[in-house]
Amino acid sequence: MMERIANDAACSTMGLGFLARTPSYYKALRHLRNFMNKLIEKNANNNISSSSSEPWAKGEEAMNSFLDTALNYYCRGHLKKEDVIIESIGLIGASFETVATAIYSVLVMLAMHPDVQENLFRETYALFPQKNIEVTYDHLKQAPYLDMVVAETLRLMPSIPIIGRQAIRKARLTSEIDLSPNMQVIVPIFSLHRSKTWWGAQAHLFNPNNFTPENIAKRNPYVYMPFSKGARNCIGKC
């Protein structure tokens, strides 16, 4: 399905989206919709409370997954089943593909740069000196170099290398560029992340130090956007 979505997106930028919407495209979509519909029917009445005003009011147990939260809203009438299906397909489908790509890319970068791998190993060993320690989110907050390695990997190898937007009104980007309503705008994240204008003469090289607090502070925040930017940015950033 992700491959078909990518083809659809690429064709749609040229007004040729219909070429990607083949019978197999709709067959894959029906399969996903049927799967989510059965999952919703199976879990709609399992430990979903309609009494609390907010789904997180019951505490951490009520927030086991995105689906739990969505079903809570569905059972209380705040979301339609169709809304849950659409959001679940988008979240689950996109997250599996992009996370797998990001993990693979990090492993490749570490294999290619033994010095970075050694520095990360030292940080990890200092954080987990003993075996069989459960890793929590609080642990990850204590691993700044890991964060730098992941960020630099996503700079050079963003899971989503290109995104598109549509202008909803006339807008001026520069003194020479105006956007007309409904104009398709393509943002080449891959090229932006490797621009020598913003990242220096060695923009193509893997360097986690690009993401030290000092370097982040002096850089335009819009030259690094592996999760997009603005109100429609990727939920994976969280």
Side-chain angles (χ1 to χ4, degrees):
M1 188 65 202
M2 289 302 297
E3 180 181 357
R4 290 172 171 81
I5 291 174
N7 291 335
D8 190 354
C11 292
S12 294
T13 60
M14 299 176 288
L16 300 173
F18 63 91
L19 293 177
R21 295 163 199 160
T22 61
S24 62
Y25 174 96
Y26 290 106
K27 181 180 179 180
L29 185 58
R30 285 195 301 271
H31 174 76
L32 282 176
R33 292 177 64 87
N34 290 337
F35 173 80
M36 288 309 307
N37 187 60
K38 291 179 181 178
L39 193 62
I40 290 169
E41 290 295 328
K42 178 180 178 181
N43 292 281
N45 297 318
N46 291 347
N47 300 319
I48 302 298
S49 172
S50 60
S51 59
S52 61
S53 58
E54 297 294 349
W56 51 85
K58 292 176 61 180
E60 185 178 351
E61 184 179 354
M63 294 291 289
N64 290 333
S65 70
F66 165 81
L67 186 60
D68 290 331
T69 304
L71 287 175
N72 188 293
Y73 280 113
Y74 166 61
C75 292
R76 288 158 47 219
H78 296 310
L79 283 179
K80 298 178 181 178
K81 181 189 290 187
E82 181 68 11
D83 296 326
V84 178
I85 292 175
I86 292 174
E87 294 300 328
S88 297
I89 288 176
L91 183 66
I92 297 173
S95 63
F96 273 96
E97 186 79 8
T98 54
V99 170
T101 301
I103 292 174
Y104 167 80
S105 299
V106 169
L107 293 176
V108 169
M109 289 293 99
L110 290 175
M112 293 173 63
H113 301 85
D115 55 329
V116 174
Q117 183 181 150
E118 179 64 22
N119 290 337
L120 183 57
F121 171 79
R122 292 180 182 276
E123 178 184 77
T124 305
Y125 186 80
L127 191 58
F128 304 105
Q130 301 176 355
K131 295 182 179 180
N132 302 322
I133 296 178
E134 181 181 357
V135 180
T136 67
Y137 185 70
D138 287 334
H139 284 124
L140 299 181
K141 294 179 181 179
Q142 303 173 49
Y145 194 70
L146 172 62
D147 192 58
M148 292 163 58
V149 169
V150 173
E152 178 68 354
T153 300
L154 292 176
R155 181 183 74 84
L156 288 178
M157 305 173 71
S159 297
I160 304 296
I162 187 172
I163 59 173
R165 293 291 185 270
Q166 179 172 295
I168 60 175
R169 62 177 67 90
K170 184 176 181 180
R172 169 156 289 192
L173 289 183
T174 69
S175 59
E176 299 178 351
I177 301 177
D178 289 323
L179 300 181
S180 302
N182 301 320
M183 178 179 287
Q184 299 291 322
V185 180
I186 302 300
V187 182
I189 295 176
F190 185 90
S191 299
L192 177 65
H193 285 184
R194 292 169 178 252
S195 171
K196 293 182 179 180
T197 301
W198 301 107
W199 298 93
Q202 297 184 322
H204 61 293
L205 298 180
F206 182 75
N207 179 17
N209 288 330
N210 281 320
F211 291 91
T212 61
E214 297 78 13
N215 286 331
I216 292 175
K218 66 183 181 182
R219 187 167 56 238
N220 186 316
Y222 286 90
V223 301
Y224 178 70
M225 48 190 301
F227 301 99
S228 182
K229 288 284 187 180
R232 298 295 296 175
N233 66 348
C234 178
I235 194 173
K237 186 177 181 179
C238 299

